[in-house]
Amino acid sequence: MIITRRTFVKAAAASGAALVLPGTAPGAPPAPVMRAVPSSGEMLPAVGLGTWITFNVGDDPVLRDECAEVIAAFFAAGGRMIDSSPMYGSSQPAIGYGLEKLGRPEALFSAEKVWTSSAADGPAQIEQSRRFWGVPRFDLVQVHNLVAWETHLETLFAMKADGRIRYVGITTSEGRRHDLFEQIMRAHPLDFVQFTYNVVDREAEERLLPLAAERGMAVIVNRPFRQGALTRQLQGETLPAWAAEIGAGTWAQFILKFILSHPSVTVAIPATTRVDHVRENVTAATGPLPDASMRDRMAAYVRDL
Amino acid sequence: MSEWWTYRLEDFLLFSPRVYWRLFELNNAASWPLHLLTLAAGLAIVLLALRRPPGHGLWVAFILAALFAFVGWSFLWSRYAAINWAIAYVAPAFGLQALLLAIGGAARGSLAFDRRDIAGRLGLLIAVVGLVVYPLMPLLFGRPWSSAEVFGIAPDPTAIVALGVLLAASGGLVPLLFAIPLLWLLLSGLTLHAMGDSQAWLPLLAAAITVAALALRRIAR
């Protein structure tokens, strides 16, 4: 489904996803666009921080400090959501190290995953992840890649009922298992869903994004840059002059603005090891976002390169 | 794993090349000056295999066993597993290789480095290359010298030297001893390939030459 101006406005209204451009104090960095979590109304900055590969630095003290600097820059730019998984090697301890070093920023919105084929091991894994992060509880726990999703969802909904987590979600990536993903979205009262969506991977526009709006689920977009491959591919190409109309000064901002302009998208979670990139990413969620016709123009431009 | 056919090699890579090579830098810094000892041990292995003094099989096997156990614990288990959870399942294989080598060395007549056919000579050449040339790879591939992979400290040259001397070996346990180093080099080569590292062909080539040498020996029979 290609988004027309009419469907764009309709989806925005249906999702109830508020798009708020807060006022900015003189001299302060522009505040990022905020989006509402449909199930609670809680507002979140539309750009988060992914940690796949980038935060898996082992015990390397130099690289752990670099991760802490990225987290610091992320919060300074107005970011909140950090997303990780037990699958991401040492990313969880690296996040915990960074948060500890920064004095446990209150702005943090912690998004974790449960990833084990043994349903019985789920609670212990979530507890281990919580210790790595050093947080009293996670805001969001998602079933990673739908692994053992039925029993893990039971666990997560019970934890939510007990107040041990705030939100429940499921994830997939790179267009995998969308049929099952859709079935689960229809059958369970999820707060968040996470999948891949960007200017070239647009399969989610067909069913998942409209369904998220219909079911009142927040959408986290992973792999916005195809793990860096998309930005590398576009690096040698000229950014069109009309990108300035939406305030996109780089290809990364161009891609992020495309993603965030979909009314069903709540947060995109690009991953990076660089402080300048994290600032650039969060900045993409400031200023104007493309409308439906501009989105078509953006997608066509990238497709024709 | 569902829809396994949609996965590419790169999808299994959990870390960046920078983090991978930093592992070797940190490991080298922590292990120095053990490198001098392991290189001397490697040289001793080649000399023992060449000159074959009485009891050489036991010494070669014991030295290799000790170094496999050391690399498995100090590099794979203590460092690499932190960024790649799958290595936690691989590191014990290095322990198993150490055990098999120790058994082979201790059991009378089960391990002798006495083959001097083409495969055996090629094997000793491979061992020398793994020992002397492998640590020089950072110069060739534009990495910091501090990330050098040294026999007895890093897994790839340890596996390559082991395969080399095993090509010159005879004994009942010998066929079994090829499996773990070969599988390791395959895994390492694929990992480097997924990282887009031009050094990927090296461990794969070493494994391929070993398999080809074993096949040639079998055909020659």
Side-chain angles (χ1 to χ4, degrees):
Chain A
M1 181 184 83
I2 300 300
I3 295 182
T4 63
R5 196 179 298 272
R6 180 177 295 176
T7 53
F8 186 83
V9 173
K10 207 172 156 186
S15 70
L19 189 158
V20 182
L21 291 166
T24 304
V33 167
M34 304 293 281
R35 290 277 165 82
V37 178
S39 66
S40 68
E42 180 178 2
M43 302 302 290
L44 288 175
V47 173
L49 181 64
T51 58
W52 166 240
I53 291 184
T54 52
F55 273 53
N56 185 15
V57 296
D59 302 325
D60 192 321
V62 173
L63 301 185
R64 275 195 169 192
D65 279 336
E66 287 184 11
C67 290
E69 286 168 21
V70 166
I71 295 175
F74 174 68
F75 284 121
R80 284 192 62 197
M81 178 189 285
I82 299 179
D83 178 87
S84 192
S85 168
M87 186 202 170
Y88 299 174
S90 58
S91 292
Q92 295 172 318
I95 293 168
Y97 173 83
L99 294 175
E100 179 70 33
K101 196 172 177 184
L102 297 172
R104 306 270 159 212
E106 283 182 18
L108 172 69
F109 183 98
S110 51
E112 249 302 334
K113 303 188 188 82
V114 57
W115 177 69
T116 168
S117 54
S118 162
D121 292 344
Q125 187 183 67
I126 295 166
E127 175 57 18
Q128 179 60 61
S129 300
R130 191 193 65 75
R131 286 185 187 159
F132 279 138
W133 282 62
V135 293
R137 67 172 178 173
F138 286 121
D139 293 298
L140 163 65
V141 180
Q142 307 148 93
V143 180
H144 192 144
N145 283 347
L146 307 183
V147 174
W149 64 272
E150 285 168 299
T151 38
H152 285 324
L153 274 186
E154 278 178 30
T155 302
L156 296 183
F157 282 124
M159 288 179 76
K160 183 184 171 186
D162 293 345
R164 286 181 286 156
I165 59 174
R166 297 172 59 218
Y167 299 110
V168 175
I170 56 172
T171 80
T172 186
S173 64
E174 299 182 76
R176 294 190 182 102
R177 304 179 81 184
H178 276 197
D179 288 342
L180 176 59
F181 203 86
E182 186 182 343
Q183 285 173 31
I184 300 169
M185 285 176 73
R186 289 191 187 282
H188 297 276
L190 303 167
D191 300 297
F192 278 82
V193 287
Q194 181 180 144
F195 44 79
T196 300
Y197 176 59
N198 58 54
V199 71
V200 286
D201 298 309
R202 301 179 65 187
E203 191 188 342
E205 287 177 2
E206 301 286 337
R207 292 177 294 161
L208 298 189
L209 283 162
L211 184 59
E214 182 190 320
R215 299 273 296 148
M217 294 171 183
V219 172
I220 300 173
V221 170
N222 61 33
R223 297 177 63 92
F225 305 139
R226 282 187 163 181
Q227 207 178 307
L230 188 54
T231 38
R232 280 195 296 275
Q233 185 190 332
L234 295 169
Q235 209 165 22
E237 305 289 346
T238 309
L239 193 67
W242 44 263
E245 292 173 29
I246 52 166
T250 64
W251 277 114
Q253 291 179 340
F254 182 97
I255 297 164
L256 282 173
K257 280 179 177 284
F258 177 87
I259 294 167
L260 299 179
S261 64
H262 194 290
S264 299
V265 170
T266 312
V267 185
I269 48 168
T272 181
T273 56
R274 287 176 48 175
V275 165
D276 57 335
H277 284 177
V278 83
R279 289 187 186 126
E280 180 186 327
N281 292 342
V282 179
T283 305
T286 63
L289 291 174
D291 61 12
S293 61
M294 177 63 97
R295 283 172 53 84
D296 290 343
R297 192 179 187 189
M298 293 166 86
Y301 187 85
V302 172
R303 189 179 56 237
D304 295 341
L305 283 175
Chain B
M1 184 191 300
S2 60
E3 299 186 13
W4 55 267
W5 61 90
T6 64
Y7 287 85
R8 296 154 299 168
L9 199 54
E10 294 78 16
D11 292 329
F12 297 97
L13 194 66
L14 303 172
F15 45 83
S16 67
R18 184 183 178 214
V19 170
Y20 180 78
W21 292 118
R22 283 274 303 170
L23 280 186
F24 292 92
E25 291 182 39
L26 293 176
N27 193 47
N28 284 336
S31 305
W32 181 259
L34 264 181
H35 303 65
L36 302 176
L37 192 64
T38 59
L39 282 172
L43 190 63
I45 286 171
V46 175
L47 287 175
L48 284 166
L50 274 172
R51 303 181 71 111
R52 284 177 283 163
H56 74 280
L58 182 142
W59 281 106
V60 171
F62 275 18
I63 292 170
L64 278 176
L67 292 178
F68 263 92
F70 178 68
V71 171
W73 169 75
S74 67
F75 184 79
L76 297 182
W77 183 265
S78 303
R79 292 191 186 275
Y80 195 6
I83 63 162
N84 185 352
W85 47 262
I87 295 299
Y89 300 96
V90 176
F94 269 55
L96 177 63
Q97 179 76 0
L99 188 66
L100 290 172
L101 281 162
I103 292 169
R108 188 175 289 274
S110 65
L111 200 54
F113 295 85
D114 53 2
R115 285 182 185 263
R116 289 298 177 269
D117 57 358
I118 292 175
R121 287 169 196 273
L122 183 64
L124 291 176
L125 184 65
I126 290 171
V128 171
V129 168
L131 205 56
V132 179
V133 180
Y134 221 86
L136 304 176
M137 288 302 122
L139 300 178
L140 198 63
F141 291 97
R143 293 197 321 269
W145 178 246
S146 52
S147 68
E149 295 166 272
V150 176
F151 169 75
I153 303 290
D156 286 16
T158 305
I160 289 170
V161 171
L163 287 177
V165 292
L166 284 170
L167 278 172
S170 63
L173 263 181
V174 170
L176 204 58
L177 293 171
F178 280 100
I180 289 171
L182 277 174
L183 288 172
W184 170 261
L185 290 178
L186 182 65
L187 178 67
S188 182
L190 292 176
T191 303
L192 289 165
H193 178 70
M195 281 164 49
D197 196 299
S198 45
Q199 195 180 308
W201 60 271
L202 264 173
L204 295 175
L205 182 68
I209 291 174
T210 303
V211 172
L214 287 170
L216 278 175
R217 176 178 281 162
R218 199 174 176 85
I219 291 165
R221 265 190 225 157

